[in-house]
Amino acid sequence: MRTIRGWFRETTGDLPVTFWYLWTGTLINRLGSFVLIFLAIYLTRERGFSELQAGLVLGLWGVGGAVGTTVGGTLTDRWGRRPTLLTAHVGAAAMMLALGFARDLWTLAAGALLLGLFAEAARPAFGAMMIDVVPEKDRLRAFSLNYWAINLGFACAAILAGLAAEVGYLLLFVVDAVTTLTTAVIIFVKVRETRVVGAATTGAVHTARRGALRTILTDRIYLGFVALNLLSALVFLQHISMLPIAMGEDGLSTATYGSVIALNGVLIVAGQLFVPRLIRGRSRSHVLALAAVVMGVGFGLTAFAEAAWFYGLTVLIWTLGEMLNSPSNSTLIAELSPAELRGRYQGVFSLSWQVAGASAPILGGLVRQEAGNVTLWLGCAAIGGVTALFHLLSGPARERRAASLRRPAVAAPEPATVPVPPVPQVAKAATPAPTR
């Protein structure tokens, strides 16, 4: 019992109050994250669109998300974390309702575009706020706890969404909008602005504004890291776009897909809190390479799946890779981002998810339609292997860059502390990101 208590204190203790409000908002938002999970099924079965048309709508969601993360990153650094989060959440809730009532293809496409824009604009602000409030020594477990909340909500949402879809798909859009608004209320009431711009930092911020784009575009180490995440995301997002279609063609119901994909969240909920201790002190490039291989194997085995239990097995395998990937990714983003450009660096990283969100369903649908189901999933396995190789090759340079950015931060005085009383998916990606 003492061991359990000690582990619990080590995992959750001494984190800022603001973090827990952010964590609560994440959990509530993810509990209602129905729409993206079942959008491909909704478009093909309920609305009668082809796989390619469904891929187009999902792709436009990704295009909107790409714009959203870019704009959101800039607003996060210039306007502030809190107002960006509030605007993004309220806009996303409104567009979810609009998408639920849309009927023709182009209205659905426009709704998906705008939904992606608003929903993903929250990601850079949320990521920057997390880095603002959590000290560097606590970030690995803080990001793991947040990822745990994402997947606890996702596991529940996947099962509930499968049941709710049997009642009516409109219910999915309504519940998703309500939970998104609830998250906005938590931010409005409990979370204060965390961006600190004092006299000592004003000049740096002005310089950053003038040269931000040039700084990011010439940061080859960071862009290489973003490119590798893009490859992983192209594979990972097939679980939203092509997996439900493949399972449907094997005669499996919507509820079965919901139960199978819920295994992803259940496994993460059961094991994610132990991952920080497992990978602590290990080479992050090796952990990321292993994660890419495991994810590739899991998705590759989908080529041979026909029964629900086999699909469930593939989900369990690639989920293990996801669990290794997420905390290492999150801490690297934080350490590779200059403080004055934190929002925009977060935005560029989120952009890789949105590019994948735009292209994964289209590419997946095209490959599946032209070359077949087996080729699609074996191609995912090959991408995982290539990604792993490049993580091993680029890892040392990333760690040197992270160390060089940490040194000035140690020498400089700490900025004013974040206010004490003191929180945002739509894709697990997306994240999500979620926003999976």
PDB file of all heavy atoms in Angstrom, residues 87-101 111 114-115 118 173 176-178 180-181:
ATOM      1  N   THR A  87     -11.345  31.558 -27.783  1.00  0.00           N
ATOM      2  CA  THR A  87     -11.879  31.769 -29.126  1.00  0.00           C
ATOM      3  C   THR A  87     -11.942  30.462 -29.906  1.00  0.00           C
ATOM      4  O   THR A  87     -12.936  30.157 -30.577  1.00  0.00           O
ATOM      5  CB  THR A  87     -11.006  32.780 -29.890  1.00  0.00           C
ATOM      6  OG1 THR A  87     -10.954  34.003 -29.161  1.00  0.00           O
ATOM      7  CG2 THR A  87     -11.577  33.047 -31.283  1.00  0.00           C
ATOM      8  N   ALA A  88     -10.889  29.668 -29.801  1.00  0.00           N
ATOM      9  CA  ALA A  88     -10.828  28.402 -30.539  1.00  0.00           C
ATOM     10  C   ALA A  88     -11.919  27.437 -30.079  1.00  0.00           C
ATOM     11  O   ALA A  88     -12.591  26.796 -30.900  1.00  0.00           O
ATOM     12  CB  ALA A  88      -9.455  27.769 -30.368  1.00  0.00           C
ATOM     13  N   HIS A  89     -12.141  27.336 -28.785  1.00  0.00           N
ATOM     14  CA  HIS A  89     -13.133  26.394 -28.277  1.00  0.00           C
ATOM     15  C   HIS A  89     -14.561  26.811 -28.595  1.00  0.00           C
ATOM     16  O   HIS A  89     -15.390  25.975 -28.974  1.00  0.00           O
ATOM     17  CB  HIS A  89     -12.952  26.222 -26.769  1.00  0.00           C
ATOM     18  CG  HIS A  89     -11.866  25.256 -26.419  1.00  0.00           C
ATOM     19  ND1 HIS A  89     -10.537  25.578 -26.486  1.00  0.00           N
ATOM     20  CD2 HIS A  89     -11.913  23.955 -26.030  1.00  0.00           C
ATOM     21  CE1 HIS A  89      -9.814  24.530 -26.142  1.00  0.00           C
ATOM     22  NE2 HIS A  89     -10.619  23.533 -25.869  1.00  0.00           N
ATOM     23  N   VAL A  90     -14.855  28.077 -28.451  1.00  0.00           N
ATOM     24  CA  VAL A  90     -16.208  28.546 -28.775  1.00  0.00           C
ATOM     25  C   VAL A  90     -16.482  28.381 -30.271  1.00  0.00           C
ATOM     26  O   VAL A  90     -17.561  27.922 -30.688  1.00  0.00           O
ATOM     27  CB  VAL A  90     -16.393  30.018 -28.339  1.00  0.00           C
ATOM     28  CG1 VAL A  90     -17.714  30.571 -28.852  1.00  0.00           C
ATOM     29  CG2 VAL A  90     -16.337  30.120 -26.821  1.00  0.00           C
ATOM     30  N   GLY A  91     -15.516  28.721 -31.108  1.00  0.00           N
ATOM     31  CA  GLY A  91     -15.683  28.546 -32.543  1.00  0.00           C
ATOM     32  C   GLY A  91     -15.840  27.091 -32.936  1.00  0.00           C
ATOM     33  O   GLY A  91     -16.665  26.739 -33.788  1.00  0.00           O
ATOM     34  N   ALA A  92     -15.077  26.193 -32.299  1.00  0.00           N
ATOM     35  CA  ALA A  92     -15.175  24.770 -32.609  1.00  0.00           C
ATOM     36  C   ALA A  92     -16.542  24.214 -32.226  1.00  0.00           C
ATOM     37  O   ALA A  92     -17.133  23.416 -32.967  1.00  0.00           O
ATOM     38  CB  ALA A  92     -14.074  24.004 -31.876  1.00  0.00           C
ATOM     39  N   ALA A  93     -17.068  24.627 -31.075  1.00  0.00           N
ATOM     40  CA  ALA A  93     -18.388  24.155 -30.651  1.00  0.00           C
ATOM     41  C   ALA A  93     -19.466  24.579 -31.651  1.00  0.00           C
ATOM     42  O   ALA A  93     -20.354  23.788 -32.011  1.00  0.00           O
ATOM     43  CB  ALA A  93     -18.715  24.698 -29.258  1.00  0.00           C
ATOM     44  N   ALA A  94     -19.397  25.820 -32.117  1.00  0.00           N
ATOM     45  CA  ALA A  94     -20.382  26.311 -33.088  1.00  0.00           C
ATOM     46  C   ALA A  94     -20.300  25.530 -34.390  1.00  0.00           C
ATOM     47  O   ALA A  94     -21.328  25.162 -34.982  1.00  0.00           O
ATOM     48  CB  ALA A  94     -20.159  27.806 -33.344  1.00  0.00           C
ATOM     49  N   MET A  95     -19.090  25.234 -34.850  1.00  0.00           N
ATOM     50  CA  MET A  95     -18.936  24.526 -36.118  1.00  0.00           C
ATOM     51  C   MET A  95     -19.318  23.056 -36.013  1.00  0.00           C
ATOM     52  O   MET A  95     -19.763  22.453 -36.981  1.00  0.00           O
ATOM     53  CB  MET A  95     -17.495  24.654 -36.626  1.00  0.00           C
ATOM     54  CG  MET A  95     -17.113  26.072 -37.042  1.00  0.00           C
ATOM     55  SD  MET A  95     -18.401  26.917 -38.005  1.00  0.00           S
ATOM     56  CE  MET A  95     -18.653  25.761 -39.350  1.00  0.00           C
ATOM     57  N   MET A  96     -19.181  22.454 -34.834  1.00  0.00           N
ATOM     58  CA  MET A  96     -19.651  21.079 -34.660  1.00  0.00           C
ATOM     59  C   MET A  96     -21.157  20.991 -34.849  1.00  0.00           C
ATOM     60  O   MET A  96     -21.668  20.066 -35.491  1.00  0.00           O
ATOM     61  CB  MET A  96     -19.256  20.559 -33.272  1.00  0.00           C
ATOM     62  CG  MET A  96     -17.811  20.147 -33.166  1.00  0.00           C
ATOM     63  SD  MET A  96     -17.382  19.748 -31.467  1.00  0.00           S
ATOM     64  CE  MET A  96     -15.595  19.756 -31.574  1.00  0.00           C
ATOM     65  N   LEU A  97     -21.885  21.939 -34.280  1.00  0.00           N
ATOM     66  CA  LEU A  97     -23.334  21.953 -34.450  1.00  0.00           C
ATOM     67  C   LEU A  97     -23.700  22.181 -35.921  1.00  0.00           C
ATOM     68  O   LEU A  97     -24.590  21.526 -36.464  1.00  0.00           O
ATOM     69  CB  LEU A  97     -23.957  23.042 -33.577  1.00  0.00           C
ATOM     70  CG  LEU A  97     -23.941  22.782 -32.067  1.00  0.00           C
ATOM     71  CD1 LEU A  97     -24.492  23.986 -31.322  1.00  0.00           C
ATOM     72  CD2 LEU A  97     -24.752  21.527 -31.729  1.00  0.00           C
ATOM     73  N   ALA A  98     -22.994  23.107 -36.569  1.00  0.00           N
ATOM     74  CA  ALA A  98     -23.268  23.388 -37.980  1.00  0.00           C
ATOM     75  C   ALA A  98     -23.013  22.152 -38.837  1.00  0.00           C
ATOM     76  O   ALA A  98     -23.782  21.837 -39.752  1.00  0.00           O
ATOM     77  CB  ALA A  98     -22.403  24.562 -38.455  1.00  0.00           C
ATOM     78  N   LEU A  99     -21.943  21.419 -38.541  1.00  0.00           N
ATOM     79  CA  LEU A  99     -21.612  20.218 -39.299  1.00  0.00           C
ATOM     80  C   LEU A  99     -22.668  19.132 -39.098  1.00  0.00           C
ATOM     81  O   LEU A  99     -22.995  18.383 -40.022  1.00  0.00           O
ATOM     82  CB  LEU A  99     -20.235  19.701 -38.851  1.00  0.00           C
ATOM     83  CG  LEU A  99     -19.537  18.684 -39.765  1.00  0.00           C
ATOM     84  CD1 LEU A  99     -19.242  19.288 -41.125  1.00  0.00           C
ATOM     85  CD2 LEU A  99     -18.240  18.200 -39.117  1.00  0.00           C
ATOM     86  N   GLY A 100     -23.230  19.070 -37.894  1.00  0.00           N
ATOM     87  CA  GLY A 100     -24.252  18.070 -37.618  1.00  0.00           C
ATOM     88  C   GLY A 100     -25.520  18.272 -38.421  1.00  0.00           C
ATOM     89  O   GLY A 100     -26.224  17.304 -38.739  1.00  0.00           O
ATOM     90  N   PHE A 101     -25.824  19.518 -38.760  1.00  0.00           N
ATOM     91  CA  PHE A 101     -27.049  19.816 -39.518  1.00  0.00           C
ATOM     92  C   PHE A 101     -26.800  19.913 -41.026  1.00  0.00           C
ATOM     93  O   PHE A 101     -27.743  20.060 -41.799  1.00  0.00           O
ATOM     94  CB  PHE A 101     -27.665  21.124 -39.020  1.00  0.00           C
ATOM     95  CG  PHE A 101     -28.309  20.999 -37.671  1.00  0.00           C
ATOM     96  CD1 PHE A 101     -27.669  21.471 -36.534  1.00  0.00           C
ATOM     97  CD2 PHE A 101     -29.557  20.395 -37.536  1.00  0.00           C
ATOM     98  CE1 PHE A 101     -28.262  21.353 -35.280  1.00  0.00           C
ATOM     99  CE2 PHE A 101     -30.155  20.269 -36.289  1.00  0.00           C
ATOM    100  CZ  PHE A 101     -29.502  20.735 -35.155  1.00  0.00           C
ATOM    101  N   GLY A 111     -17.910  22.918 -43.578  1.00  0.00           N
ATOM    102  CA  GLY A 111     -18.008  22.794 -42.135  1.00  0.00           C
ATOM    103  C   GLY A 111     -16.798  22.098 -41.542  1.00  0.00           C
ATOM    104  O   GLY A 111     -16.273  22.505 -40.496  1.00  0.00           O
ATOM    105  N   LEU A 114     -13.790  24.556 -41.491  1.00  0.00           N
ATOM    106  CA  LEU A 114     -13.841  25.540 -40.408  1.00  0.00           C
ATOM    107  C   LEU A 114     -13.704  24.890 -39.040  1.00  0.00           C
ATOM    108  O   LEU A 114     -13.107  25.465 -38.127  1.00  0.00           O
ATOM    109  CB  LEU A 114     -15.145  26.336 -40.499  1.00  0.00           C
ATOM    110  CG  LEU A 114     -15.258  27.259 -41.721  1.00  0.00           C
ATOM    111  CD1 LEU A 114     -16.650  27.875 -41.805  1.00  0.00           C
ATOM    112  CD2 LEU A 114     -14.195  28.356 -41.668  1.00  0.00           C
ATOM    113  N   LEU A 115     -14.258  23.697 -38.905  1.00  0.00           N
ATOM    114  CA  LEU A 115     -14.100  22.990 -37.636  1.00  0.00           C
ATOM    115  C   LEU A 115     -12.628  22.688 -37.373  1.00  0.00           C
ATOM    116  O   LEU A 115     -12.127  22.878 -36.258  1.00  0.00           O
ATOM    117  CB  LEU A 115     -14.896  21.684 -37.655  1.00  0.00           C
ATOM    118  CG  LEU A 115     -14.724  20.769 -36.439  1.00  0.00           C
ATOM    119  CD1 LEU A 115     -15.115  21.493 -35.151  1.00  0.00           C
ATOM    120  CD2 LEU A 115     -15.540  19.498 -36.601  1.00  0.00           C
ATOM    121  N   PHE A 118     -10.800  26.017 -36.216  1.00  0.00           N
ATOM    122  CA  PHE A 118     -11.010  26.434 -34.832  1.00  0.00           C
ATOM    123  C   PHE A 118     -10.445  25.416 -33.837  1.00  0.00           C
ATOM    124  O   PHE A 118      -9.783  25.780 -32.861  1.00  0.00           O
ATOM    125  CB  PHE A 118     -12.500  26.648 -34.567  1.00  0.00           C
ATOM    126  CG  PHE A 118     -13.029  27.955 -35.072  1.00  0.00           C
ATOM    127  CD1 PHE A 118     -13.876  28.000 -36.167  1.00  0.00           C
ATOM    128  CD2 PHE A 118     -12.668  29.152 -34.465  1.00  0.00           C
ATOM    129  CE1 PHE A 118     -14.370  29.200 -36.648  1.00  0.00           C
ATOM    130  CE2 PHE A 118     -13.143  30.365 -34.936  1.00  0.00           C
ATOM    131  CZ  PHE A 118     -14.004  30.395 -36.028  1.00  0.00           C
ATOM    132  N   PHE A 173     -22.699  15.063 -32.622  1.00  0.00           N
ATOM    133  CA  PHE A 173     -22.280  16.447 -32.827  1.00  0.00           C
ATOM    134  C   PHE A 173     -22.698  17.335 -31.655  1.00  0.00           C
ATOM    135  O   PHE A 173     -21.940  18.215 -31.229  1.00  0.00           O
ATOM    136  CB  PHE A 173     -22.870  16.972 -34.132  1.00  0.00           C
ATOM    137  CG  PHE A 173     -22.331  16.299 -35.365  1.00  0.00           C
ATOM    138  CD1 PHE A 173     -22.975  15.195 -35.900  1.00  0.00           C
ATOM    139  CD2 PHE A 173     -21.182  16.752 -35.989  1.00  0.00           C
ATOM    140  CE1 PHE A 173     -22.490  14.561 -37.031  1.00  0.00           C
ATOM    141  CE2 PHE A 173     -20.683  16.127 -37.122  1.00  0.00           C
ATOM    142  CZ  PHE A 173     -21.336  15.023 -37.641  1.00  0.00           C
ATOM    143  N   ASP A 176     -20.518  16.567 -28.506  1.00  0.00           N
ATOM    144  CA  ASP A 176     -19.168  17.084 -28.722  1.00  0.00           C
ATOM    145  C   ASP A 176     -19.132  18.597 -28.539  1.00  0.00           C
ATOM    146  O   ASP A 176     -18.209  19.154 -27.925  1.00  0.00           O
ATOM    147  CB  ASP A 176     -18.697  16.706 -30.133  1.00  0.00           C
ATOM    148  CG  ASP A 176     -17.176  16.578 -30.212  1.00  0.00           C
ATOM    149  OD1 ASP A 176     -16.492  17.167 -29.376  1.00  0.00           O
ATOM    150  OD2 ASP A 176     -16.693  15.870 -31.109  1.00  0.00           O
ATOM    151  N   ALA A 177     -20.133  19.290 -29.055  1.00  0.00           N
ATOM    152  CA  ALA A 177     -20.192  20.746 -28.904  1.00  0.00           C
ATOM    153  C   ALA A 177     -20.343  21.151 -27.446  1.00  0.00           C
ATOM    154  O   ALA A 177     -19.699  22.105 -26.972  1.00  0.00           O
ATOM    155  CB  ALA A 177     -21.354  21.304 -29.728  1.00  0.00           C
ATOM    156  N   VAL A 178     -21.164  20.422 -26.700  1.00  0.00           N
ATOM    157  CA  VAL A 178     -21.390  20.755 -25.290  1.00  0.00           C
ATOM    158  C   VAL A 178     -20.118  20.575 -24.468  1.00  0.00           C
ATOM    159  O   VAL A 178     -19.774  21.432 -23.638  1.00  0.00           O
ATOM    160  CB  VAL A 178     -22.536  19.887 -24.714  1.00  0.00           C
ATOM    161  CG1 VAL A 178     -22.609  20.036 -23.198  1.00  0.00           C
ATOM    162  CG2 VAL A 178     -23.869  20.284 -25.333  1.00  0.00           C
ATOM    163  N   THR A 180     -17.060  20.696 -25.525  1.00  0.00           N
ATOM    164  CA  THR A 180     -16.092  21.724 -25.928  1.00  0.00           C
ATOM    165  C   THR A 180     -16.403  23.054 -25.256  1.00  0.00           C
ATOM    166  O   THR A 180     -15.501  23.755 -24.775  1.00  0.00           O
ATOM    167  CB  THR A 180     -16.092  21.886 -27.457  1.00  0.00           C
ATOM    168  OG1 THR A 180     -15.797  20.632 -28.069  1.00  0.00           O
ATOM    169  CG2 THR A 180     -15.046  22.900 -27.897  1.00  0.00           C
ATOM    170  N   LEU A 181     -17.682  23.407 -25.191  1.00  0.00           N
ATOM    171  CA  LEU A 181     -18.076  24.643 -24.497  1.00  0.00           C
ATOM    172  C   LEU A 181     -17.776  24.553 -23.004  1.00  0.00           C
ATOM    173  O   LEU A 181     -17.388  25.550 -22.379  1.00  0.00           O
ATOM    174  CB  LEU A 181     -19.566  24.911 -24.717  1.00  0.00           C
ATOM    175  CG  LEU A 181     -19.945  25.619 -26.016  1.00  0.00           C
ATOM    176  CD1 LEU A 181     -21.463  25.748 -26.124  1.00  0.00           C
ATOM    177  CD2 LEU A 181     -19.283  26.998 -26.109  1.00  0.00           C
TER     178      LEU A 181
END
